[in-house]
């Protein structure tokens, strides 16, 4: 992530916005903006380009004349929908030959160049704006750094925000307006997200995805105003990123560090933070294949799938080597530590099956401690490692245990995914403790390849019509009083049966769910469009 970019605070609270007016202006011919190829959610997508193609600009924006009357403009139609629009009378704005993008602040050069290339304009750097231009600028007002104001007036566009992220989101709104109708509506858009974390997570451990495919998803996410991309790259089936500290654990098919850096740099240019996950103490099968001496075994010597023996100091040393190494590769603010499904805790009598764990727990935490305390202590120790790199840690909800001697570190955010696992608690229990929660509800937001274990591919329509960020478990929402503690949500692709779909089929399958979810994260109101209208708009936007 480039050092000059200002980032959104994780717990930043959102100010309410007013309700805007009706549907978008559709004046002028649609512009062939270079967006990704797309398909409906029911059909595989075709090949997706690595970058946008320069557009051919249409004729110039008509100049307002005293003897011409314009209808009052309508609210732009975008995904996610803008939250406030003040209409005005005028022709609006459309890209034209000779049009430019100018910036008030050099920090916005990347945003300016990107927008210019997408709309077929020239990038002019700093300087005065003239008719037909788009001007980007930063303001000093005390506002959400992801908020922006987009003004269309006098044949020009001005996009401002208190930080680069907000200005970037304003350029996405402008791009979508041009894509959908050719013309940006006269008037003023004031826009801001309801939730500060809007994420897509990809399991590359069980299934290899090419760097190019991932980069195309990053571009897609950027245009939809997502700001996090989770990368689950270690599991029982594979360890998919090159390692210098432990090359012996890396799967034959993997991403190079150079490829990962390109992904991170592209994500940063779209104001997306890449959130890595090395799951432990379970889901470590690929690591343990190269280190069988650290495999957890019961009293009969039988290995426990994916589980590392957390009673051994060498186990902690290995994981900390990896956390320290990849903290240097991933510069983002957040880190996912996993902590789910430690199989030692799923047997009838863990202490009898794994006496070495029970003994280690009492040695470290006293006579009243058990294996759950040892697992919590393991999580806390890994938390300390990533916090030493100035990261905000999170863990799956079933890695937090009630009672016990050892409590999970207060800084840990809860990634709430399920109530089906052994020991999983109701979401309200975490919220009552004052914890911050990210919604990964497996009922709506889990796309599990092959649909094993009663999973069903989620649909955009179901998310759009039935889910909100308050619906953390199953289909029932928690009380609105906890709304501020729910930081956002993540849609997750899991590759349990990796051969069930191709990369392109995955891209097509997640297309409408991603659009539906971000609509609910950006705007807390009930959607103004029906599902059919929303789906039609998505097809028009590309």
């Amino acid at each position: 992530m480039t050092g000059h970019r200002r980032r959104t605070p994780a717990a930043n609270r959102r100010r309410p916005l007013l309700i805007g007016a009706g549907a978008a202006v559709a004046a002028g011919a649609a512009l062939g903006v270079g967006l990704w190829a797309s398909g409906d959610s029911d059909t595989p997508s075709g090949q997706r380009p690595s970058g946008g193609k320069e557009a051919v600009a249409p004729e110039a924006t008509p100049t307002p004349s005293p003897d011409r009357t314009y209808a009052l403009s309508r609210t732009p139609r975008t995904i996610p929908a803008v939250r406030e629009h003040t209409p005005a009378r005028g022709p609006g704005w459309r890209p034209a030959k000779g049009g430019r993008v100018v910036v008030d602040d050099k920090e916005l050069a990347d945003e300016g160049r990107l927008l210019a290339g997408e709309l077929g304009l020239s990038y002019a750097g700093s300087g005065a704006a003239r008719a037909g231009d788009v001007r980007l600028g930063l303001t000093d007002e005390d506002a959400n750094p992801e908020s922006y104001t987009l003004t269309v007036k006098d044949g020009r566009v001005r996009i401002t925000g208190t930080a680069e992220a907000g200005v970037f989101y304003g350029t996405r709104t402008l791009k979508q307006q041009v894509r959908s109708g050719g013309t940006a509506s006269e008037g003023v858009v004031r826009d801001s997200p309801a939730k500060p974390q809007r994420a897509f997570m990809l399991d590359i451990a069980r299934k290899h995805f090419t760097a190019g495919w991932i980069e195309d998803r990053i571009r897609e996410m950027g245009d939809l105003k997502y700001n996090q991309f989770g990368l689950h790259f270690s599991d029982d089936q594979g360890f998919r990123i090159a390692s210098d500290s432990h090359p012996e654990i890396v799967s034959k098919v993997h991403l190079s560090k150079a490829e990962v850096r390109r992904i991170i740099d592209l994500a940063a240019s779209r104001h997306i933070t890449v959130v890595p996950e090395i799951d432990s103490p379970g889901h470590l099968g690929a690591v343990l294949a190269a280190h069988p001496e650290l495999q957890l075994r019961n009293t009969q010597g039988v290995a426990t799938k994916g589980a590392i023996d957390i009673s051994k100091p060498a186990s902690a040393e290995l994981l900390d080597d990896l956390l320290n190494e990849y903290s240097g590769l991933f510069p983002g603010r957040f880190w996912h530590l996993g902590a789910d499904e430690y199989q030692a805790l799923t047997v009838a009598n863990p202490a009898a099956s794994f006496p070495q764990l029970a003994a280690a727990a009492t040695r470290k935490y006293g006579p009243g401690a058990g294996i759950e305390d040892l697992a919590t202590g393991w999580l806390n120790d890994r938390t300390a490692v990533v916090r030493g790199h100035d990261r905000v840690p999170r863990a799956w909800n079933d890695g937090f245990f009630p009672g016990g001697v050892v409590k999970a570190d207060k800084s840990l955010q809860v990634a709430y995914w399920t109530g089906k696992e052994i020991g999983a608690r109701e979401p309200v229990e975490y919220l009552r403790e004052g914890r911050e929660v990210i919604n990964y509800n497996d009922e709506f937001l889990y796309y599990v390849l092959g649909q094993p274990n009663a999973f069903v591919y989620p649909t955009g329509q179901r998310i759009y019509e039935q889910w909100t960020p308050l619906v953390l478990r199953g289909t029932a929402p928690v009380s609105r009083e906890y709304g501020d503690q729910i930081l956002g949500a993540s849609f997750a692709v899991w590759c349990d049966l990796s051969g069930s779909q191709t990369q392109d089929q995955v891209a097509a399958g997640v297309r409408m769910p991603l659009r539906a979810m971000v609509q609910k994260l950006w705007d807390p109101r009930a959607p103004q469009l029906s599902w059919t209208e929303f789906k039609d708009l998505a097809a028009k936007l590309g």
Side-chain angles (χ1 to χ4, degrees):
M1 178 174 315
T2 53
H4 73 273
R5 297 193 173 275
R6 284 167 271 186
R7 292 291 162 183
T8 304
N12 191 42
R13 301 297 177 233
R14 300 316 190 216
R15 300 187 301 176
L17 292 171
L18 302 177
I19 297 176
V25 160
L31 177 65
V33 179
L35 295 179
W36 60 90
S38 62
D40 205 319
S41 59
D42 299 324
T43 57
S45 64
Q47 291 184 344
R48 300 173 188 270
S50 297
K53 298 178 182 178
E54 187 171 300
V56 177
E59 296 177 358
T61 302
T63 303
S65 60
D67 59 350
R68 184 171 181 182
T69 301
Y70 293 95
L72 200 63
S73 65
R74 296 184 179 182
T75 302
R77 296 186 67 181
T78 60
I79 297 175
V82 302
R83 295 179 63 186
E84 180 183 339
H85 178 247
T86 303
R89 297 184 188 276
W93 176 92
R94 58 190 302 199
K97 185 176 181 180
R100 307 175 305 158
V101 177
V102 298
V103 298
D104 293 344
D105 304 87
K106 63 181 180 181
E107 292 90 345
L108 297 172
D110 290 346
E111 287 76 15
R113 290 190 181 96
L114 176 63
L115 182 67
E118 291 169 329
L119 298 188
L121 306 175
S122 61
Y123 175 69
S126 60
R130 63 196 187 198
D133 287 352
V134 179
R135 186 168 189 169
L136 311 181
L138 298 172
T139 65
D140 293 328
E141 64 178 315
D142 182 17
N144 174 352
E146 290 191 308
S147 67
Y148 67 90
T149 301
L150 187 158
T151 303
V152 179
K153 183 179 180 181
D154 298 330
R156 304 170 189 178
V157 179
R158 179 164 172 77
I159 301 172
T160 60
T162 59
E164 295 164 65
V167 175
F168 173 72
Y169 296 143
T171 68
R172 301 305 88 191
T173 295
L174 180 63
K175 178 182 177 181
Q176 287 198 21
Q177 287 191 77
V178 171
R179 177 66 175 175
S180 64
T183 302
S185 303
E186 197 86 7
V188 181
V189 169
R190 294 181 179 86
D191 204 10
S192 182
K195 292 297 182 183
Q197 295 195 26
R198 306 175 301 281
F200 172 50
M201 192 228 78
L202 180 65
D203 168 17
I204 66 169
R206 295 179 177 92
K207 180 181 180 70
H208 173 71
F209 289 83
T210 64
W213 187 93
I214 294 171
E215 288 166 358
D216 285 339
R217 302 289 74 69
I218 295 289
R219 294 185 183 94
E220 181 177 3
M221 292 167 61
D223 279 358
L224 294 170
K225 303 184 176 80
Y226 277 86
N227 64 3
Q228 288 185 19
F229 175 57
L231 206 54
H232 178 92
F233 64 93
S234 171
D235 214 301
D236 294 340
Q237 294 81 357
F239 192 99
R240 300 290 181 181
I241 296 177
S243 172
D244 298 318
S245 65
H246 289 281
E248 73 281 0
I249 69 174
V250 180
S251 300
K252 182 177 180 180
V253 180
H254 63 272
L255 296 175
S256 69
K257 286 190 173 181
E259 288 175 316
V260 173
R261 290 188 185 99
R262 287 197 296 271
I263 290 167
I264 292 169
D265 287 346
L266 178 64
S269 75
R270 267 64 173 177
H271 298 273
I272 295 170
T273 299
V274 181
V275 182
E277 181 189 358
I278 301 177
D279 202 346
S280 79
H283 291 280
L284 284 169
V287 172
L288 292 169
H291 289 275
E293 73 281 4
L294 301 180
Q295 178 88 51
L296 178 66
R297 298 180 182 276
N298 65 15
T299 53
Q300 283 74 46
V302 177
T304 302
K305 180 182 178 182
I308 200 166
D309 191 334
I310 58 176
S311 71
K312 296 182 176 182
S315 296
E317 292 171 7
L318 173 59
L319 261 294
D320 291 349
D321 283 348
L322 297 173
L323 294 176
N324 286 321
E325 176 183 358
Y326 290 102
S327 291
L329 179 62
F330 293 95
R333 187 164 176 247
F334 303 99
W335 195 284
H336 203 316
L337 290 166
D340 63 313
E341 298 180 320
Y342 188 48
Q343 297 299 311
L345 296 170
T346 64
V347 299
N349 189 336
S353 295
F354 307 103
Q356 74 274 33
L357 299 184
T362 56
R363 281 197 308 271
K364 191 168 184 179
Y365 299 113
I371 296 176
E372 287 185 352
D373 294 298
L374 190 67
T376 302
W378 170 276
L379 176 58
N380 288 346
D381 289 344
R382 308 293 78 74
T383 296
V385 172
V386 299
R387 287 185 64 191
H389 293 283
D390 198 27
R391 304 298 194 270
V392 177
R394 67 183 60 159
W396 299 112
N397 63 287
D398 51 322
F400 294 77
F401 305 107
V405 175
V406 183
K407 308 297 181 184
D409 191 289
K410 288 292 185 183
S411 69
L412 279 160
Q413 297 176 345
V414 179
Y416 199 97
W417 72 282
T418 190
K420 302 180 180 75
E421 293 296 298
I422 294 174
R425 295 178 285 156
E426 291 287 345
V428 71
E429 294 187 41
Y430 304 90
L431 295 165
R432 284 174 182 159
E433 293 173 2
R435 291 196 182 274
E436 295 177 321
V437 176
I438 303 112
N439 189 329
Y440 287 77
N441 187 338
D442 64 347
E443 180 79 15
F444 289 91
L445 308 180
Y446 262 35
Y447 192 95
V448 185
L449 295 198
Q451 304 181 107
N453 302 318
F455 281 109
V456 177
Y457 290 130
T459 66
Q461 182 173 2
R462 189 159 182 254
I463 295 168
Y464 191 76
E465 296 178 343
Q466 300 180 30
W467 178 85
T468 75
L470 294 173
V471 181
L472 286 162
R473 173 176 176 171
T475 59
V478 298
S479 171
R480 291 185 181 277
E481 69 182 287
Y482 298 116
D484 284 349
Q485 288 173 244
I486 301 172
L487 302 180
S490 178
F491 191 84
V493 170
W494 295 102
C495 301
D496 292 43
L497 300 176
S498 61
S500 301
Q501 289 193 339
T502 65
Q503 289 187 146
D504 282 345
Q505 286 174 323
V506 173
V510 305
R511 183 177 181 276
M512 288 309 299
L514 286 176
R515 284 152 179 77
M517 189 185 81
V518 81
Q519 173 62 40
K520 296 299 194 74
L521 293 174
W522 190 271
D523 189 344
R525 300 168 299 182
Q528 298 297 303
L529 301 180
S530 69
W531 170 250
T532 298
E533 291 169 331
F534 184 82
K535 189 174 179 180
D536 289 346
L537 176 61
K540 183 179 290 186
L541 294 176

